[in-house]
Amino acid sequence: MGLSGSAFDFSGRAVIVTGGTQGIGAALAGAFLRHGAEVLVCARRAPEALPEGGGRKAVFHSADLREPDAARALVDAAVERFGRLDVLVNNAGGSPDADAATVSPRFTEKIVALNLLAPAYVSQAANLVMREQESGGAIVNIGSVAARDPQPGTAAYSAAKAGLLGLTRALALEWAPAVRVNHITTGLVRTEAAAAGYGPDGGAAVRDVLPMGRMAAPSDVADACLYLASPLSAYVNGADLAVHGGGELPARYTAARGAGGS
């Protein structure tokens, strides 16, 4: 269930959600639309259907944000369409698992570019617009628990996400007070694209290691993002908001419990 109330009225505000055509990104875009914002989403390929909310649809812009020129063009497209830019959500990212011992340098470059360099490029362009507006702006970076708790097969991804958290804190220092920059650490989120990674049981075993007893829904991340983009977080800058349900139970605890220990 989305948050409501005047603090979450984004009428007259313009929002960019990168990677906003599916999964978490689509949920983010839909939440901002429902709360009155004009929303531009981007991906490399146009989706079959665009996110909707509040009786309106998001606008689509095709972009490969690993290219600095494409990142600047994305921001330009939003300003041309809406006349302003109030919120940027750097959501695009991800990576397939890969063996760090054999993965190619090209693969590593692409993963770091998508998960770290692209947010830096788009943020830089967005800041140039936001800092000139009387109301400033807000940037929210969507990170991952992999930044602090890597799993096998995620070396490049985990390193890039750790870098994104560092980038968030650095930009928060440089761009305040006009532009606030914050970070959301996501845990396991149940999306259609990620379902294959949760095992043949549909994630039942995974739920057993989560204190909340369930994986996050995309709307959980969306609600946190609305908060960080809203006036309620006017003094929140350089923060890392954990949306991971308390993390995961320690392996030694689950192993002992499974063996009948206490």
Side-chain angles (χ1 to χ4, degrees), residues 81-115:
R81 179 68 180 247
F82 306 133
R84 60 186 299 114
L85 177 60
D86 301 281
V87 180
L88 165 64
V89 183
N90 284 310
N91 167 74
S95 172
D97 286 355
D99 181 1
T102 58
V103 69
S104 71
R106 182 61 175 159
F107 175 90
T108 299
E109 290 171 3
K110 286 186 175 182
I111 297 307
V112 173
L114 176 62
N115 291 280

Side-chain angles (χ1 to χ4, degrees), residues 2 44 54 71 79 85 102 105 114 119 121 160 168 188 207 219 230 234 249 259:
R44 281 182 287 173
V79 174
L85 177 60
T102 58
L114 176 62
Y121 298 151
T168 299
L188 296 177
R207 291 194 298 270
S219 60
S230 78
L249 297 173

Side-chain angles (χ1 to χ4, degrees), residues 211-231:
M212 293 295 289
R214 67 174 178 88
M215 285 181 273
S219 60
D220 293 315
V221 182
D223 284 347
C225 195
L226 288 173
Y227 164 70
L228 289 176
S230 78

Side-chain angles (χ1 to χ4, degrees), residues 114-239:
L114 176 62
N115 291 280
L116 176 57
L117 299 184
Y121 298 151
V122 185
S123 295
Q124 185 181 50
N127 173 64
L128 293 176
V129 175
M130 293 174 174
R131 71 184 186 184
E132 301 301 324
Q133 298 174 158
E134 183 178 353
S135 57
I139 297 173
V140 182
N141 294 323
I142 306 300
S144 168
V145 292
R148 291 193 175 92
D149 185 21
Q151 301 296 316
T154 67
Y157 175 76
S158 296
K161 286 301 188 183
L164 182 63
L165 180 56
L167 177 70
T168 299
R169 291 169 172 161
L171 297 183
L173 292 173
E174 291 194 35
W175 294 350
V179 179
R180 296 184 298 109
V181 187
N182 290 293
H183 182 276
I184 293 175
T185 290
T186 62
L188 296 177
V189 183
R190 176 161 287 286
T191 64
E192 185 175 335
Y198 298 141
D201 61 2
V206 173
R207 291 194 298 270
D208 290 342
V209 303
L210 302 175
M212 293 295 289
R214 67 174 178 88
M215 285 181 273
S219 60
D220 293 315
V221 182
D223 284 347
C225 195
L226 288 173
Y227 164 70
L228 289 176
S230 78
L232 283 182
S233 64
Y235 201 66
V236 178
N237 185 44

Side-chain angles (χ1 to χ4, degrees), residues 18-109:
T18 70
T21 60
Q22 61 182 347
I24 296 173
L28 295 171
F32 278 106
L33 286 165
R34 286 192 298 276
H35 289 278
E38 300 292 341
V39 179
L40 185 149
V41 298
C42 74
R44 281 182 287 173
R45 291 178 293 275
E48 293 183 4
L50 286 167
E52 298 184 42
R56 292 170 299 115
K57 285 187 178 181
V59 177
F60 176 76
H61 180 86
S62 177
D64 182 349
L65 300 178
R66 296 171 297 186
E67 299 296 332
D69 288 345
R72 288 190 292 269
L74 171 67
V75 172
D76 289 344
V79 174
E80 181 178 355
R81 179 68 180 247
F82 306 133
R84 60 186 299 114
L85 177 60
D86 301 281
V87 180
L88 165 64
V89 183
N90 284 310
N91 167 74
S95 172
D97 286 355
D99 181 1
T102 58
V103 69
S104 71
R106 182 61 175 159
F107 175 90
T108 299
E109 290 171 3

